[in-house]
């Protein structure tokens, strides 16, 4: 029962240890309890004696007497003797002793006592003195008024020894321990009897059979099992473990470090640390080891290790890892290739995605039509190197931009011809790869390139280019690599084809847009113009502007915006710009022009609504701002349809937004009238017209953009071009999401000396005087050569105004740069028309002659009446007409007309 090898013996020893531990704990608790009790009694006694002595009759009078020691010393010694305390000491308020058991200590200074009780309340403290642990109580003594402290009483008591208490209670403790030991021995006997009862009937033979069964199972499993002792010796190894580790026959009981194992395996088995499926190389095998300590609490009593041969599993796992990596690479290719609709950028993304996980160097060659956006026809051995990407460099390969012609017999040329990928696993062993260009092949091999896969880029059966994958440090390509390369290139080919088609559409849209936008600003003297047009990054849009010279030295400034991007937006912009130019040739007021433009858009949208199956796009949503500036009066008339307000920079640099009445976008007017606004502008003012892409962006709202525009415009003394640049520097976003059209026009005023006006009376006889006045003014301007033709034109126009027009009638002659302008205004709305007169007609030839002697002519309607105007060019002024022409002209009037 008491044997430590038996379960009962181990239980007995454990319980015995617990009893001894509990007995020791009880003894310590007993001593501590006795000491605590003694200390508490000492504290109560010292405090009681100190308070009694302090309040005893005569104590206060003695402390106040001339010699307190003489009175208090006998009383203190008497009290100490009667109460059994160790000392009774009285102290004056300054901290000097009046009494002490040792007379030699009377008169000494005691700071601790006086300062501790200075608060006027009793204190009790423990301290370790020469007599051992002691307790001291200090009580203040107050004067008869109860407020002033006249002294202190200190009483100390030594804590009595606890031996007596322990001596009295020790028998009880020992008796308890003995009883506990008896219970332990009885319990152990019961446990031993219980164990014998549980193993009753199990004889040695059966125990042997049980061992043999466990041993058979241990050696039959397909997993190696090792049991290592705490001292690092091999205690047991089954047959599978001996086979996997090639253990010697006498391996049992030998240290694992002496069994000839691999260093890593031996160290792991010797350490006994816990590991799970840790792979080690043993000869040509990969073993997965699991080690667990025998003692779950880490007692160091040994460990059990299991071994499993994972050589084939590792190979399968390696292939699975490669497959998983390829799938991840294909996924990344789908994300990283085709982020833009740029052909070259897409080719670069294809080259970059395969390096370095699939190849060390990748080259992409595209056919020239693909780079230009066109669709190539048939196979071609010529391609343009578009992208090269490698882990390091340089490589002896053709650089980007070089035109490559693949030689016949080259694997790449074969791939181009057949449209199938080609694998050259070992370039050094290939016969046809470098035969046509041995020097170039030698340079490639010397650089370390040893394996190649060439895959044609094909989309919709059309060959777009070639992709070459080269390896340097990785193992040679195999058939699985060929299939993967083909899949990767097939996905990239779709992205490149999409980019090619976008490039073609974008090029068409850009060409169309450039052909529709003004290539240059026409010559005119009304305003000095600077402009900017910035397309969005997303593609060609529908923003536009125009500067249109008008009769009478005036100029029209137009800015418009068509919603959307692409060919439709560009074509719509062109249609609107053509319509505005057409309407402006009719010399309509801004509000009338916007109204006609709105009707045109409404009609076009209605024509495009062809019902189900009609894919045509409307143009509703377009905006336009139309302004006409007259440099003679300095007046600007404006009208807008859904467009932002223009800004005005006055000559002193102040900025304001012109409150032009706003109307719905074009096509949404619904027949409502459009309004215009008229402003008189000082000379040198800058009129700023723009589209909403300038002030509105995805990261900035419209109002914030208007504020920034106002800040950018503030300041005098800038040219229109400088103003444009300042606006773009302040407001242009990094990646514009919308087109930006900007026009800055600085106003000019026509010199009054270049303007002449005459009132036209209703009398036809006044025509001669008016002609004479015009001739004199032409002489002042140095235009005598134009006198004949100008007088003829004025005679015809003024005569028609007198005959067919109404009051008021006026004639105005302007010299504007390279033109001479004649304007005849009257109150009638009827307009003359140019026609071919018959031989028998007496009239109808006047306007024909006007058209012959002028560069152009026309009619402009006013709020009341009209203006007939003509322009004559001052460039290449001709002399008087020949005699035949003179006669023909003079025949048109009678003598009375002259």
């Amino acid at each position: 029962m008491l044997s430590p090898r038996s379960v009962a013996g181990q239980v007995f020893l454990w319980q015995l240890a617990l009893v001894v531990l509990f007995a020791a704990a009880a003894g310590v608790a007993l001593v501590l309890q006795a000491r605590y009790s003694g200390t508490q009694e000492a504290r109560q006694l010292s405090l009681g004696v100190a308070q009694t002595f302090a309040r005893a009759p005569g104590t206060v009078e003695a402390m106040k007497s001339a010699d307190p020691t003489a009175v208090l010393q006998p009383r203190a010694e008497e009290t100490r003797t009667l109460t059994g305390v160790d000392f009774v000491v009285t102290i004056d308020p300054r901290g000097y002793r009046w009494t002490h058991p040792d007379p030699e200590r009377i008169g000494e200074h005691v700071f601790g006592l006086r300062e501790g009780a200075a608060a006027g309340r009793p204190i009790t403290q423990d301290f370790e003195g020469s007599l051992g642990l002691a307790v001291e109580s200090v009580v203040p003594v107050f004067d008869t008024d109860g407020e002033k402290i006249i002294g202190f009483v200190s009483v100390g008591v030594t804590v009595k020894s606890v031996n007596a208490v322990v001596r009295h209670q020790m028998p009880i403790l020992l008796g308890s321990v003995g009883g506990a030991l008896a219970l332990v021995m009885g319990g152990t006997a019961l446990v031993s009897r219980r164990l014998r009862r549980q193993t009753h009937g199990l004889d040695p033979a059966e125990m042997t059979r049980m061992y043999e069964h466990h041993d058979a199972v241990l050696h039959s499993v397909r997993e190696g099992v090792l049991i290592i002792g705490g001292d690092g010796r091999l205690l047991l190894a089954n047959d599978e473990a001996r086979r996997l580790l090639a253990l010697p026959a006498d391996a049992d009981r030998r240290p694992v470090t002496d069994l000839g194992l691999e260093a890593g395996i031996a160290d792991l088995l010797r350490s006994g640390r816990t590991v799970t499926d840790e792979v080690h190389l043993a000869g040509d095998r990969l073993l997965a080891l699991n080690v667990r300590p025998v003692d779950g609490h880490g007692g160091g009593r040994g460990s059990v290790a299991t071994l499993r041969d994972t050589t084939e599993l590792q190979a399968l796992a390696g292939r699975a890892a490669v497959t998983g990596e390829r799938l991840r690479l294909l996924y990344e290719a789908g994300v990283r290739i085709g982020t833009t609709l740029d052909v070259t950028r897409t080719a670069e993304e294809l080259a970059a995605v395969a390096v370095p996980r699939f190849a060390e160097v990748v080259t992409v060659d595209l056919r020239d039509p693909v780079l230009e956006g066109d669709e190539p026809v048939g196979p071609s051995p010529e391609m343009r190197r578009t992208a090269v990407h490698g882990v390091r460099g340089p490589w002896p390969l053709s650089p980007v931009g070089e035109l490559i012609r693949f030689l016949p017999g080259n694997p790449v040329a074969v791939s181009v011809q057949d449209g199938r990928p080609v694998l050259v696993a070992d370039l050094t062993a290939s016969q046809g790869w470098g035969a046509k260009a041995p020097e170039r092949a030698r340079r490639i091999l010397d650089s370390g390139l040893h394996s190649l896969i060439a895959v044609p880029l094909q989309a919709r059966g059309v060959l777009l280019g070639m992709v070459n994958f080269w390896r340097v440090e990785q193992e040679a390509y195999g058939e699985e690599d060929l299939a993967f390369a083909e899949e990767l290139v097939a996905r990239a080919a779709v992205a490149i084809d999409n980019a090619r088609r976008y490039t073609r559409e974008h090029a068409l849209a850009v060409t169309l847009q450039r052909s529709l936008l003004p290539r240059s600003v026409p010559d005119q003297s009304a305003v000095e113009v600077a402009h900017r047009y910035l397309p969005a990054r997303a593609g060609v849009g529908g923003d536009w502007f125009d500067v249109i010279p008008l009769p009478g030295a005036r100029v029209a400034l137009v800015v418009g915006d068509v919603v959307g991007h692409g060919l439709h937006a560009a074509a719509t912009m062109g249609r609107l710009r053509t319509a505005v130019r057409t309407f402006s040739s009719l010399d309509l007021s801004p509000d009338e022009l916007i109204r006609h433009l709105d009707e045109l858009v409404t009609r076009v949208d209605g024509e495009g609504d062809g019902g189900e199956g009609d894919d045509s796009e409307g143009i509703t949503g377009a905006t336009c701002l139309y302004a006409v500036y007259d440099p003679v009066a300095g007046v600007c008339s404006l009208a807008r349809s859904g467009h932002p307000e223009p800004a005005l920079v006055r000559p002193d640099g102040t900025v304001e937004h012109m409150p032009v009445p706003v109307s719905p976008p074009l096509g949404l007017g619904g027949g409502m009238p459009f309004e215009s606004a008229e402003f008189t502008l000082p000379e040198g003012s800058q009129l700023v017209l723009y589209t909403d892409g300038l002030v509105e962006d995805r990261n900035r709202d419209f109002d914030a953009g208007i504020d920034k525009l106002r800040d950018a415009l503030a300041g005098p003394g800038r040219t229109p071009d400088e103003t444009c640049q300042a606006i773009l520097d302040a407001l242009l976003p990094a990646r514009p999401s919308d087109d930006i059209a900007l026009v800055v026009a600085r106003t000019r005023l026509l010199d009054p000396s270049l303007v002449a006006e005459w009132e036209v009376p209703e009398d036809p006889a006044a025509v001669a005087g008016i002609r004479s006045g015009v001739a004199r003014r032409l002489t002042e301007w140095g235009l005598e050569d134009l006198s004949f033709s100008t007088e003829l034109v004025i005679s015809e126009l003024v005569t028609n105004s007198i005959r067919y027009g109404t009051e008021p009638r006026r004639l105005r002659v302007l010299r504007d740069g390279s033109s001479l302008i004649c304007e005849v205004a009257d109150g009638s709305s009827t307009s003359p028309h140019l026609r071919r007169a018959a031989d028998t007609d007496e009239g109808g030839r006047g306007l024909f002659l006007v058209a012959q002697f002028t560069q152009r002519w026309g009619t402009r309607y006013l709020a009341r009446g009209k203006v007939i105007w003509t322009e004559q060019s001052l460039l290449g002024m001709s002399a008087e007409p020949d005699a035949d022409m003179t006669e023909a002209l003079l025949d048109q009037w009678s003598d009375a007309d002259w």
Side-chain angles (χ1 to χ4, degrees):
M1 182 185 68
L2 298 181
S3 173
R5 295 181 178 275
S6 65
V7 176
Q10 294 174 2
V11 172
F12 174 76
L13 293 177
W14 172 246
Q15 292 179 340
L16 179 63
L18 289 178
V19 170
V20 172
L21 180 62
F22 288 154
V28 172
L30 178 62
V31 172
L32 294 177
Q33 178 63 31
R35 183 164 182 168
Y36 175 78
S37 300
T39 302
Q40 290 299 110
E41 291 177 2
R43 293 173 68 89
Q44 294 174 2
L45 177 60
S46 64
L47 182 59
V49 172
Q51 289 180 338
T52 301
F53 191 91
R55 292 172 173 77
T59 302
V60 174
E61 289 77 11
M63 289 184 176
K64 295 170 61 178
S65 65
D67 189 3
T69 300
V71 179
L72 294 175
Q73 177 69 10
R75 292 184 181 182
E77 289 301 306
E78 182 180 3
T79 301
R80 181 174 65 84
T81 303
L82 292 175
T83 59
V85 297
D86 295 284
F87 61 85
V88 177
V89 178
T90 59
I91 307 167
D92 68 5
R94 295 174 301 169
Y96 293 92
R97 293 192 184 102
W98 281 325
T99 64
H100 194 275
D102 186 359
E104 294 181 359
R105 294 183 176 237
I106 295 175
E108 292 182 354
H109 196 230
V110 185
F111 280 101
L113 295 176
R114 183 176 67 79
E115 292 173 358
R121 55 181 176 79
I123 62 171
T124 301
Q125 59 184 0
D126 300 338
F127 69 97
E128 192 74 23
S130 59
L131 300 178
L133 181 63
V135 177
E136 177 189 24
S137 296
V138 179
V139 177
V141 179
F142 294 89
D143 199 354
T144 55
D145 57 4
E147 294 181 358
K148 181 180 179 181
I149 299 176
I150 61 174
F152 301 91
V153 177
S154 174
V155 177
V157 179
T158 303
V159 179
K160 302 298 182 180
S161 175
V162 299
N163 293 336
V165 177
V166 175
R167 189 167 47 253
H168 289 298
Q169 297 184 3
M170 187 57 70
I172 300 174
L173 178 62
L174 294 178
S176 300
V177 172
L181 289 175
L183 290 175
V184 167
M185 294 185 66
T188 302
L190 292 176
V191 170
S192 178
R193 182 177 178 183
R194 180 67 176 173
L195 289 175
R196 287 195 301 270
R197 182 180 301 172
Q198 289 179 346
T199 58
H200 180 70
L202 189 62
D203 57 17
E206 291 179 347
M207 295 289 290
T208 301
R209 283 196 301 273
M210 182 181 295
Y211 170 78
E212 292 175 349
H213 172 74
H214 292 169
D215 188 65
V217 172
L218 179 67
H219 292 287
S220 63
V221 295
R222 293 295 306 274
E223 191 173 73
V225 179
L226 300 173
I227 299 178
I228 298 96
D231 57 355
R233 295 180 178 274
L234 179 64
L235 302 181
L236 181 129
N238 68 347
D239 295 341
E240 183 68 9
R242 294 178 181 276
R243 183 184 69 84
L244 294 176
L245 297 176
L247 295 177
D250 59 345
D252 294 346
R253 295 292 176 178
R254 291 175 57 183
V256 293
T257 55
D258 296 341
L259 299 178
L261 304 177
E262 299 291 338
I265 297 177
D267 294 340
L268 176 60
L269 297 177
R270 180 68 178 83
S271 66
R273 58 187 176 90
T274 301
V275 297
T276 300
D277 288 338
E278 186 172 303
V279 179
H280 288 267
L281 183 64
D284 57 349
R285 293 189 178 93
L286 287 175
L287 303 180
L289 274 71
N290 295 272
V291 181
R292 295 292 185 274
V294 173
D295 186 358
H297 300 285
R301 296 171 55 190
S303 59
V304 176
T306 61
L307 305 92
R308 186 172 64 256
D309 189 354
T310 63
T311 304
E312 296 181 358
L313 182 62
Q314 193 74 10
L316 292 174
R319 288 195 292 271
V322 171
T323 303
E325 177 64 19
R326 296 289 168 80
L327 290 176
R328 285 191 294 271
L329 185 55
L330 286 177
Y331 171 77
E332 289 185 18
V335 174
R336 294 172 55 184
I337 299 177
T339 58
T340 67
L341 289 174
D342 182 80
V343 174
T344 301
R345 179 59 184 162
T346 305
E348 293 172 350
E349 291 170 345
L350 167 59
V353 77
V355 177
R357 288 186 288 178
F358 183 69
E360 277 83 8
V361 183
V362 177
T363 61
V364 181
D365 307 322
L366 298 178
R367 299 173 66 177
D368 282 341
V370 176
L371 294 171
E372 297 170 359
D374 297 329
E375 182 171 311
V377 180
S380 172
E382 291 186 352
M383 295 185 185
R384 183 80 57 182
R385 177 60 47 86
T386 308
V388 177
H389 194 81
V391 294
R392 57 181 174 83
W395 299 99
L397 302 173
S398 300
V400 173
E402 182 175 321
L403 184 63
I404 302 173
R405 183 176 182 86
F406 301 108
L407 300 176
N410 187 288
V412 179
V414 174
S415 178
V416 170
Q417 186 67 32
D418 298 341
R420 295 193 305 270
V422 172
L423 166 65
V424 183
D426 188 358
L427 295 175
T428 59
S430 176
Q431 298 297 325
W433 172 74
K436 300 293 183 179
E439 182 62 25
R440 176 176 174 273
R442 185 187 60 79
R443 291 197 306 269
I444 291 177
L445 295 177
D446 291 344
S447 68
L449 299 172
H450 64 83
S451 190
L452 168 66
I453 289 180
V455 183
L457 264 168
Q458 299 181 98
R460 300 176 291 104
V462 178
L463 180 66
L464 306 178
M466 289 293 300
V467 182
N468 298 323
F469 300 93
W470 306 80
R471 279 189 174 177
V472 181
E473 298 178 356
Q474 302 183 51
E475 62 183 12
Y477 285 117
E479 292 297 330
E480 294 182 357
D481 298 318
L482 183 63
F484 171 78
E486 192 172 6
E487 175 67 20
L488 177 62
V489 172
R491 297 191 179 196
V494 176
I496 290 179
D497 189 54
N498 290 337
R500 177 197 64 79
R501 289 190 289 178
Y502 170 79
T503 300
R504 180 174 182 273
E505 179 181 346
H506 182 73
L508 291 174
V510 169
T511 303
L512 176 61
Q513 184 190 47
R514 289 178 178 174
S515 66
L516 296 176
L517 285 174
R519 299 181 182 179
S520 62
V521 177
D523 293 333
Q524 43 79 37
S525 59
V527 292
E528 179 186 354
V529 177
H531 59 86
R532 298 288 190 275
Y533 180 81
L534 301 175
R537 293 291 183 92
V540 175
D543 290 16
W544 55 283
F545 68 94
D546 210 345
V547 179
I548 307 172
L550 297 178
R554 297 169 303 140
V555 66
L557 304 173
V558 193
V559 173
D561 186 2
V562 176
V563 177
H565 296 87
L567 282 173
H568 173 72
T572 302
M573 176 270 290
R575 296 167 71 181
L576 292 181
R577 179 169 178 254
T578 301
V580 170
R581 278 191 163 265
T582 302
F583 292 145
S584 66
S585 67
L586 301 176
D587 216 344
L588 300 175
S589 62
D591 55 333
E592 283 295 312
L593 186 142
I594 293 294
R595 182 179 65 81
H596 283 290
L597 198 62
D598 178 75
E599 292 176 353
L600 173 65
V601 171
T602 302
R603 185 166 59 253
V604 171
D605 284 343
E607 293 172 355
D609 187 10
E612 185 176 357
D614 183 11
D615 296 332
S616 61
E617 299 183 56
I619 57 177
T620 300
T623 66
C624 182
L625 171 64
Y626 185 82
V628 175
Y629 176 68
D630 184 357
V632 177
V635 174
C636 183
S637 299
L638 305 96
R640 61 183 178 131
S641 176
H643 205 81
E645 285 183 346
L648 178 66
V649 184
R650 295 189 176 274
D652 60 359
T654 58
V655 182
E656 61 182 78
H657 284 276
M658 306 176 71
V660 181
V662 65
S663 300
L666 297 175
L668 301 178
M672 298 296 292
F674 289 83
E675 298 181 66
S676 63
E678 191 172 275
F679 303 91
T680 300
L681 307 181
E683 186 176 11
S685 300
Q686 292 191 14
L687 188 63
V688 181
L689 286 67
Y690 53 90
T691 56
D692 58 0
L694 178 68
V695 295
E696 191 173 19
D697 189 69
R698 64 185 63 179
N699 299 320
R700 180 180 61 211
D701 61 21
F702 185 82
D703 293 335
I706 291 294
D707 294 338
K708 293 192 68 174
L709 175 62
R710 183 188 297 271
D711 296 338
L713 290 174
R718 287 189 293 203
T719 65
D721 193 74
E722 291 172 345
T723 301
C724 285
Q725 193 59 45
I727 292 173
L728 296 182
D729 291 343
L731 281 86
L732 183 64
R735 296 182 62 86
S737 57
D738 195 5
D739 295 359
I740 296 175
L742 173 64
V743 176
V744 178
R746 182 161 61 185
T747 61
R748 297 168 177 160
L749 288 179
L750 193 62
D751 190 346
S753 63
L754 301 179
V755 181
E757 295 189 39
W758 292 268
E759 295 289 341
V760 179
E762 193 172 357
D763 184 5
V767 176
I770 294 175
R771 284 201 310 268
S772 299
V774 171
R776 287 192 299 270
R777 183 54 63 96
L778 293 180
T779 301
E780 294 175 3
W781 291 343
L783 303 178
E784 296 88 348
D785 293 341
L786 291 179
S787 295
F788 178 81
S789 59
T790 304
E791 290 180 30
L792 187 147
V793 170
I794 288 176
S795 296
E796 174 64 24
L797 296 181
V798 172
T799 301
N800 284 342
S801 176
I802 294 174
R803 288 180 178 178
Y804 306 110
T806 61
E807 295 287 347
R809 302 180 183 89
R810 293 185 63 83
L811 167 65
R812 186 170 71 171
V813 180
L814 311 173
R815 179 178 179 178
D816 175 34
S818 60
S819 299
L820 180 66
I821 302 169
C822 300
E823 297 179 343
V824 178
D826 62 58
S828 173
S829 298
T830 58
S831 174
H833 298 281
L834 181 66
R835 66 185 180 88
R836 181 176 295 277
D839 294 338
T840 59
D841 290 343
E842 295 182 358
R845 298 175 178 84
L847 287 180
F848 174 77
L849 296 176
V850 169
Q852 295 300 314
F853 278 90
T854 60
Q855 187 176 11
R856 58 179 183 152
W857 72 279
T859 303
R860 178 170 74 253
Y861 290 95
L862 306 176
R864 288 186 56 195
K866 66 180 182 300
V867 174
I868 308 297
W869 56 268
T870 65
E871 285 189 12
Q872 296 170 265
S873 176
L874 302 182
L875 302 177
M877 294 184 296
S878 62
E880 297 294 330
D882 56 30
D884 294 338
M885 176 62 72
T886 303
E887 294 297 330
L889 294 175
L890 292 176
D891 289 342
Q892 305 301 314
W893 291 275
S894 64
D895 293 338
D897 295 334
W898 289 92

